[in-house]
Amino acid sequence: MERYYQKEIETADREQILAWQNERLVKQVRHVWDNVPYYRKKMEEKGVAPEDIQSVEDLHKLPFLTKDDLREAYPYGLLATPLKNCVRIQSTSGTTGRRVVAFYTQHDIDLWEDCCARAITAAGGTDGDVCHVCYGYGLFTGGPGLNGGSHKVGCLTLPMSSGNTDRQLQFMVDLEATILCCTPSYAAFLAESIHERGLRDKIKLKAGIFGAEAWSEEMRQDIQDKLCIKAYDIYGLTETSGPGVAFECSEQTGMHINEDHFIAEIIDPDTGEVLPEGSKGELVFTAITKEAFPLLRYRTRDICILSREKCSCGRTHVKMSKPMGRSDDMLIVKGVNVFPSQIETVLLEQGYPANYQIIVDRVNNSDTIEVMVEMTPENFSDNLGKITEMEKGLVSALKAMLGIYAKVHLVAPKSITRSEGKAVRVIDKRKI
Amino acid sequence: MTIPQISVFLENKAGQLADITHILSENQVNMRALNIAETADYGVLRLIVDDASKASAILLEHGFILTMTPVVGVAVPDTPGGLSKVLGVISDAEMDVEYMYSVFGQKDGQACMIFRVADTDGLAAVLDKAGIGTIGGEDLGLH
């Protein structure tokens, strides 16, 4: 028997969903026009006025927003309510150059947590469950989002945050956690640890909600087998609130987008044209219920396919496939967004050449990132200690910029291939 | 009196050192001392050769990164306690040895060790005062 957190909404018919979207979109465009000069200017430049948007059919007339806009408007440029109405910020992790700060009113947090509650319920969660959340808490949206959703469902919530595997396992066993929320790679790592310590019989998990990074069907199978659970995907981004924009149901064939809050479009990343239903392209979101940070036509850069095929779970909201790639060069490493340009900035600041290569791999189900950097005459010394010190300086500067550890590999000059035209900056060896 | 040392960046991969020795031999450069300091990923090759300016020009031509460093050659009595005495003198003078290594072979019952310190002239003076001889380029057959 399928359970829903908000049955009337999640199983509403198409007409009803469209009616909500039409009404909310018109209202949202007016709200943004009145309160966000940055976006209003974009609309004026495109010759669009709020009156031109009467329904979802008109959505394509609106200008796009990109991560560049968010950076340019940082920190308050896209805020649509007075700051005194805001109660929270969340931010993408540790990326000074590309920091995204999103604002929330209490109402925004309520709706976001509703979305997460829908995801937990779809994974079988009820008020009788113990929900173990080991996404990071803090600026990262993962912990706070699932924590709030878990409260709404009425689960006993374990706000574990990330790290300290011993403590994670102890609580998981002692408090008989039944639902695990974390990144898929951490789930795989925990599964390994449980296996190694012979704790499998002591674990009561039945479901896992895993997101914030790409994972394959094989990885899903592996986690499901090792933990004897059903593993559900969840999707979201800080710009649109956080996890819970879309979530998987028991059919495990894609993630239902919460269409009462977000309108999804698929566009051609090169031309910006809206593509017909079922096409593969870049996912664009319009947030129609957010008050503080209502992004219209935000380009996610994630490539995927939308499907309106009837779902056996009874939910009627459109499904998105797992992201199949990016339309920009952003990498997601350990759930953290990494742009090659950030690494380049650090290298130049630290006096290294901009000729570098980034190697991303997955070792024991955990992402690794290595930056190959060419040695220069200026940085070279006959004293090994001085080189090691410089290398350490580079590693900490990268950590400060990216928020994660990146290994630095100093290589001989001119040893990184210089290709004709576009340089091959990134080698992603992960099989996902 | 100092001796010129060539320090070359070595990436930790097969054949790097062989490439360098091959290039030097092709050009009739003779090595007098060699030392490698390394981490897991890279290293520094330190060389004393008979013709440092020729060798460095050739290695630069081949794309290697290098630097020239003045070092001090010290005549260490080839007897028990020989090195200990030298190090004691340096330590008493409160000088830090960054690194040291030995030259191939010995002469007249004396081994030759290469010392790198921040103040090479100061080291030569300290040793001289203590009656420990330094070794010049000509002693090692350098051009």
Side-chain angles (χ1 to χ4, degrees):
Chain A
M1 171 70 183
E2 188 73 29
R3 305 176 54 91
Y4 311 94
Y5 178 67
Q6 290 166 314
K7 184 163 192 252
E8 292 70 27
I9 297 170
E10 294 176 69
T11 61
D13 60 34
R14 194 81 230 125
E15 289 69 36
Q16 178 60 67
I17 294 174
L18 260 179
W20 283 327
Q21 290 191 333
N22 289 335
E23 185 204 330
R24 291 169 185 179
L25 174 66
V26 170
K27 214 175 125 211
Q28 188 73 302
V29 170
R30 171 58 70 181
H31 172 57
V32 171
W33 173 272
D34 288 344
N35 296 294
V36 185
Y38 185 93
Y39 195 76
R40 179 180 181 143
K41 186 161 162 268
K42 277 189 161 261
M43 284 177 67
E44 283 167 348
E45 280 165 10
K46 230 186 161 218
V48 195
E51 302 77 60
D52 298 325
I53 311 300
Q54 294 298 325
S55 73
V56 176
E57 296 282 304
D58 300 320
L59 186 60
H60 68 96
K61 296 174 185 166
L62 289 170
F64 290 116
L65 279 172
T66 64
K67 228 181 182 85
D68 287 339
D69 289 309
L70 267 67
R71 208 171 61 231
E72 204 174 307
Y74 173 90
Y76 300 124
L78 290 163
L79 186 63
T81 49
L83 260 187
K84 72 174 176 62
N85 295 354
C86 297
V87 296
R88 170 99 65 83
I89 67 149
Q90 301 286 165
S91 174
T92 53
S93 30
T95 54
T96 40
R98 302 251 182 180
R99 190 176 291 284
V100 169
V101 173
F103 299 84
Y104 304 72
T105 61
Q106 186 55 53
H107 185 249
D108 290 335
I109 287 179
D110 262 353
L111 298 189
W112 173 27
E113 291 177 351
D114 281 345
C115 289
C116 291
R118 289 179 193 176
I120 293 170
T121 309
T126 68
D127 56 7
D129 278 297
V130 178
C131 188
H132 182 119
V133 183
C134 43
Y135 280 114
Y137 279 65
L139 287 172
F140 180 54
T141 54
L146 269 305
N147 190 87
S150 172
H151 279 204
K152 288 223 166 187
V153 174
C155 303
L156 173 63
T157 310
L158 311 185
M160 301 302 300
S161 199
S162 49
N164 197 340
T165 304
D166 288 337
R167 191 177 60 189
Q168 300 280 1
L169 294 179
Q170 192 194 341
F171 274 79
M172 192 181 284
V173 170
D174 294 352
L175 291 160
E176 304 190 340
T178 52
I179 298 175
L180 175 64
C181 304
C182 60
T183 58
S185 52
Y186 194 58
F189 174 76
L190 284 176
E192 286 291 327
S193 308
I194 287 167
H195 179 75
E196 281 166 17
R197 299 176 196 201
L199 292 175
R200 171 111 170 227
D201 295 342
K202 299 200 167 99
I203 296 292
K204 299 282 192 297
L205 291 177
K206 62 176 188 186
I209 300 170
F210 307 130
E213 64 187 18
W215 50 314
S216 60
E217 274 310 315
E218 292 70 39
M219 193 163 171
R220 187 211 298 268
Q221 211 53 56
D222 186 49
I223 296 172
Q224 294 194 146
D225 291 348
K226 283 203 176 112
L227 289 176
C228 286
I229 60 168
K230 200 153 174 173
Y232 297 84
D233 204 351
I234 186 167
Y235 176 89
L237 52 169
T238 308
E239 295 90 317
T240 58
S241 61
V245 171
F247 61 92
E248 232 171 24
C249 61
S250 52
E251 205 181 271
Q252 294 181 318
T253 53
M255 295 174 272
H256 290 285
I257 294 171
N258 286 310
E259 287 190 281
D260 52 326
H261 299 305
F262 304 99
I263 303 175
E265 299 171 276
I266 291 289
I267 62 160
D268 178 326
D270 297 324
T271 64
E273 287 300 308
V274 176
L275 297 175
E277 218 159 273
S279 310
K280 180 174 166 181
E282 183 183 329
L283 183 59
V284 174
F285 278 120
T286 296
I288 48 176
T289 51
K290 288 184 73 183
E291 295 174 339
F293 205 64
L295 300 189
L296 304 183
R297 299 199 87 201
Y298 181 68
R299 294 187 58 167
T300 65
R301 301 289 178 181
D302 280 326
I303 302 290
C304 71
I305 297 172
L306 297 183
S307 160
R308 291 201 184 277
E309 260 177 56
K310 196 170 168 358
C311 186
S312 62
C313 78
R315 286 179 185 78
T316 49
H317 293 225
V318 71
K319 282 201 282 196
M320 60 177 278
S321 65
K322 273 181 187 294
M324 301 157 165
R326 300 275 306 173
S327 68
D328 61 6
D329 57 358
M330 187 179 93
L331 294 160
I332 301 183
V333 183
K334 295 179 183 168
V336 171
N337 301 346
V338 172
F339 287 90
S341 58
Q342 294 175 294
I343 291 175
E344 189 167 318
T345 304
V346 173
L347 292 179
L348 292 171
E349 275 173 10
Q350 301 277 319
Y352 289 90
N355 198 49
Y356 60 93
Q357 204 157 51
I358 300 164
I359 296 169
V360 185
D361 205 346
R362 187 163 280 175
V363 180
N364 297 329
N365 285 314
S366 183
D367 291 341
T368 60
I369 180 164
E370 185 174 10
V371 185
M372 313 277 279
V373 186
E374 288 182 355
M375 182 47 105
T376 61
E378 296 72 34
N379 289 333
F380 181 61
S381 159
D382 62 310
N383 188 328
L384 193 70
K386 282 191 186 139
I387 303 179
T388 315
E389 202 123 299
M390 260 177 6
E391 188 188 12
K392 276 189 194 151
L394 184 54
V395 168
S396 23
L398 284 169
K399 176 104 199 275
M401 175 65 101
L402 306 176
I404 51 169
Y405 167 74
K407 181 176 161 50
V408 167
H409 192 136
L410 291 171
V411 298
K414 313 253 178 342
S415 64
I416 294 171
T417 332
R418 282 153 171 81
S419 46
E420 306 280 320
K422 206 170 151 47
V424 184
R425 289 275 175 250
V426 179
I427 298 175
D428 197 336
K429 296 178 172 170
R430 293 176 294 188
K431 308 255 180 310
I432 37 180
Chain B
M1 196 187 329
T2 61
I3 298 170
Q5 168 192 279
I6 305 175
S7 312
V8 190
F9 178 72
L10 279 186
E11 193 186 331
N12 219 354
K13 64 178 184 195
Q16 280 258 298
L17 187 56
D19 283 351
I20 292 175
T21 52
H22 179 72
I23 290 165
L24 295 179
S25 87
E26 289 263 283
N27 290 279
Q28 310 296 320
V29 174
N30 191 22
M31 290 188 284
R32 299 307 326 271
L34 172 155
N35 165 260
I36 298 176
E38 86 279 349
T39 69
D41 294 328
Y42 55 86
V44 178
L45 167 69
R46 298 163 187 143
L47 282 174
I48 306 288
V49 298
D50 58 358
D51 191 338
S53 53
K54 179 178 164 192
S56 66
I58 294 162
L59 289 172
L60 282 173
E61 241 171 66
H62 281 81
F64 286 96
I65 282 187
L66 57 84
T67 177
M68 300 293 284
T69 321
V71 291
V72 179
V74 182
V76 182
D78 197 2
T79 53
L83 179 60
S84 178
K85 183 185 172 205
V86 174
L87 289 175
V89 168
I90 298 175
S91 167
D92 290 345
E94 296 187 348
M95 299 183 99
D96 280 330
V97 177
E98 286 181 27
Y99 53 83
M100 51 179 271
Y101 53 98
S102 59
V103 177
F104 311 141
Q106 56 129 282
K107 207 176 152 192
D108 308 331
Q110 289 195 317
C112 173
M113 306 249 355
I114 301 294
F115 280 77
R116 168 64 190 162
V117 294
D119 176 10
T120 44
D121 292 336
L123 176 63
V126 165
L127 293 172
D128 190 42
K129 214 170 143 194
I132 297 168
T134 54
I135 291 175
E138 64 281 7
D139 300 320
L140 294 173
L142 312 193
H143 302 318

